[in-house]
């Protein structure tokens, strides 16, 4: 599920647009001459599973790049065609690579795909640069632009059909969630003028980035009905969040104190952590599946510009997924629930080709880590409150007031009165927000309480 915009024929037409936000559109260079498809190579993991890289070919041109894969193994991306155009594609094991560019579109690029086969991306239509949704039945549908905006881009989609992306205006790029082409929400920011939404999970939580008032950008998570979360950095200036899974773990990159671009994991409610690289200074984590396996790319050694696709296992060191035979560079962009990884790699002739790394030739994925011991959600909230008291962040009076609400919630749950319990949890959240407004809690201290309460409300609603 891609987060970048490629160079190619589109680049010259987008040069002015890109000036709105330097770095917002990450555009790798096009490969040049066409090359032969090369034989697959394999990587054996410490768990015993084997990843094999396979070249998916092109739409007839010299290059292709894959950015998204769903649970059914449908791969999406972009490829050069025989006439030098840039077209979105869908690839399946049975049908190979299929050109899905619409008749009204000059160029297109597929960025993400959900498990129902809904594909999203962006391109140049007759009315300008526009995000799109593609389905097998409906073809490519133009998402249009919000009022007072000139361009739009779609980057990802969840199984509910909610699409995330951005739109450009005279003041910069704005992060957007589309629930349909006519139902959209412009998301908030961290005090700056630009924001970018890159991934969305089934709870509607969105990962991306926003500028601060200083114009520096930080990775963020937008949470429905809650304040956005600033993920911060690893000690440096900037960061960006690329991927989010169903338990709201987030991956991306962040500058460290030496301004190196480091791959990070946000383990929900805590500070981001450096995932490390294959040995070099820089790397980026692009996506994470629900089992906690993250993928991206990183440099092989300090000062090197050569990057290899990288797999970060939940409890191990970074794994080098390697390049195609006879070549030296690869990039991973998405991983699905079965462990299949997609991205692109250079061929021996120097062209970028879309690739898929399959597990054991399409067998079982690496086993997920054992589930954590089940914790009662109210007990977990109580423990958080006591931790804040022990740290000196909460006074005893506020502690007792919060605990009394949780006691009332438990009593209502025991009586089978879930709606009443949800109402009390809402009052609990309001009290926590009031403590933030009165500066008795920081937003970072309040966030785990608000998130845990919201999760309990969601569980009660589903009963």
């Amino acid at each position: 599920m891609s987060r970048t915009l490629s160079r190619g024929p589109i680049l010259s037409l987008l040069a002015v647009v890109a000036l709105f936000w330097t770095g917002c559109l990450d555009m790798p260079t096009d490969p040049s001459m066409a090359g032969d498809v090369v034989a697959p190579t394999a990587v054996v993991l410490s768990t015993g599973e084997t990843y094999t890289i396979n070249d998916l070919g092109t739409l007839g041109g010299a290059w292709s790049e894959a950015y998204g894969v769903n649970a059914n193994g449908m791969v999406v991306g972009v490829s050069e065609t025989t006439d030098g155009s840039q077209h979105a594609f869908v690839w399946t094991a049975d049908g190979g690579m299929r050109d899905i560019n619409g008749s009204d579109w000059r160029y297109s690029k597929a960025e993400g795909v959900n498990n129902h086969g809904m594909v999203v991306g962006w391109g140049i239509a007759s009315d300008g640069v526009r995000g799109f949704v593609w389905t097998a039945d409906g073809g490519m549908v133009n998402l249009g632009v919000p009022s007072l905006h000139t361009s739009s881009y779609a980057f990802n989609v969840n199984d509910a059909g909610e699409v995330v992306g951005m739109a450009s205006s005279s003041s910069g790029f704005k992060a957007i969630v589309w629930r349909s082409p006519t139902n959209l929400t412009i998301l908030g920011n961290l005090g700056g003028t630009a924001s970018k939404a890159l991934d969305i999970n089934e709870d509607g939580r969105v990962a991306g980035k926003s500028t601060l008032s200083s114009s520096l950008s930080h990775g963020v998570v937008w949470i429905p009905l809650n304040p956005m979360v600033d993920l911060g950095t690893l000690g440096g200036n900037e960061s960006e969040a690329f991927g989010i899974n169903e338990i709201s773990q987030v991956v991306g990159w962040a500058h460290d104190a030496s301004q190196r671009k480091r791959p990070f994991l946000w383990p929900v409610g805590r500070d981001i952590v450096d995932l490390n690289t294959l040995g070099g200074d820089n790397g980026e984590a692009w996506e994470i599946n629900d089992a906690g396996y993250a993928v991206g790319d990183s440099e092989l050694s300090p000062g090197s510009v050569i990057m290899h696709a990288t797999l970060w296992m939940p409890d191990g060191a970074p794994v080098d997924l390697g390049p195609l035979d006879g070549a030296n560079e690869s990039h991973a962009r998405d991983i699905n629930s079965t462990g299949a990884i997609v991205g692109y790699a250079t061929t021996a002739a120097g062209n970028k080709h879309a690739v898929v790394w399959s597990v054991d030739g399409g067998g079982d994925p690496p086993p997920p880590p054992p589930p954590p011991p089940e914790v009662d959600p109210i007990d977990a909230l109580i423990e958080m409150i006591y931790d804040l008291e022990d740290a000196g962040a909460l006074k005893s009076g506020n502690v007792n007031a919060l605990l009394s609400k949780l006691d009332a919630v438990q009593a209502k749950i025991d009586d089978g009165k879930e709606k009443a319990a949800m109402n009390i949890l809402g009052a609990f959240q309001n009290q926590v927000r009031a403590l933030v407004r009165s500066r008795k809690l920081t937003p970072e201290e309040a966030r785990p309480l608000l998130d845990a309460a919201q999760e309990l409300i969601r569980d009660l609603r589903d009963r």
Side-chain angles (χ1 to χ4, degrees), residues 28-329:
T29 56
D30 274 349
S32 54
M33 305 298 290
D36 296 331
V37 174
V38 298
T41 56
V43 175
V44 180
L45 304 182
S46 61
T47 54
E49 284 77 20
T50 300
Y51 266 107
T52 302
I53 184 173
N54 292 280
D55 188 336
L56 300 185
T58 75
L59 290 174
W63 62 272
S64 62
E65 300 169 351
Y67 288 103
V69 59
N70 68 11
N72 302 315
M74 176 187 286
V75 180
V76 301
V78 60
S79 175
E80 185 180 56
T81 65
T82 53
D83 66 0
S85 298
Q86 177 174 310
H87 286 184
F89 72 76
V90 165
W91 179 95
T92 61
D94 293 336
M97 188 175 291
R98 172 186 173 190
D99 189 334
I100 62 169
N101 190 71
S103 60
D104 191 42
W105 296 76
R106 294 176 57 190
Y107 305 102
S108 59
K109 176 185 179 184
E111 297 270 7
V113 58
N114 69 12
N115 290 325
H116 303 301
M118 178 184 290
V119 180
V120 300
W122 63 275
I124 300 179
S126 58
D127 54 348
V129 179
R130 297 290 185 268
F132 69 78
V133 170
W134 178 92
T135 60
D137 294 334
M140 196 169 283
V141 176
N142 190 325
L143 286 173
V145 295
S147 176
L148 305 179
H149 291 71
T150 57
S151 303
S152 64
Y153 306 81
F155 295 126
N156 224 318
V157 58
N158 64 14
D159 286 348
E162 297 174 309
V163 179
V164 291
M166 65 183 184
S168 61
S169 70
S170 59
S171 61
F173 289 100
K174 299 293 185 296
I176 291 181
V177 175
W178 284 275
R179 290 169 182 85
S180 75
T182 57
N183 180 6
L184 60 88
T185 300
I186 298 177
L187 302 176
N189 57 60
L190 294 174
T193 61
S195 58
K196 180 181 181 184
L198 296 171
D199 200 7
I200 182 169
N201 68 12
E202 299 310 314
D203 288 333
R205 297 187 175 200
V206 177
K209 74 173 181 178
S210 170
T211 52
L212 310 169
S213 57
S214 63
S215 295
L216 296 174
S217 61
H218 279 189
V220 296
V221 176
W222 290 273
I223 301 175
L225 305 178
N226 287 276
M228 65 191 300
V229 180
D230 182 348
L231 300 183
T233 72
L234 292 168
N237 291 338
E238 297 191 277
S239 62
E240 184 170 8
F242 286 151
I244 184 169
N245 66 11
E246 295 312 311
I247 57 174
S248 296
Q249 293 174 313
V250 176
V251 292
W253 67 265
H255 284 140
D256 65 7
S258 300
Q259 303 306 321
R260 298 181 303 173
K261 183 181 279 190
R262 306 292 292 180
F264 78 73
L265 167 70
W266 183 61
V268 189
R270 302 179 183 178
D271 292 336
I272 60 175
V273 295
D274 191 330
L275 287 173
N276 295 317
T277 70
L278 295 172
D281 293 327
N282 301 294
E284 299 175 334
W286 282 75
E287 191 56 88
I288 182 168
N289 69 10
D290 296 343
Y293 290 81
V295 295
D297 44 36
S298 61
E299 293 174 345
L300 299 180
S301 60
S304 169
V305 296
I306 301 299
M307 302 191 82
H308 276 195
T310 308
L311 168 67
W312 289 274
M313 299 174 68
D315 55 357
V319 176
D320 186 347
L321 292 173
L324 290 165
D325 276 349
N328 62 1
E329 189 167 348

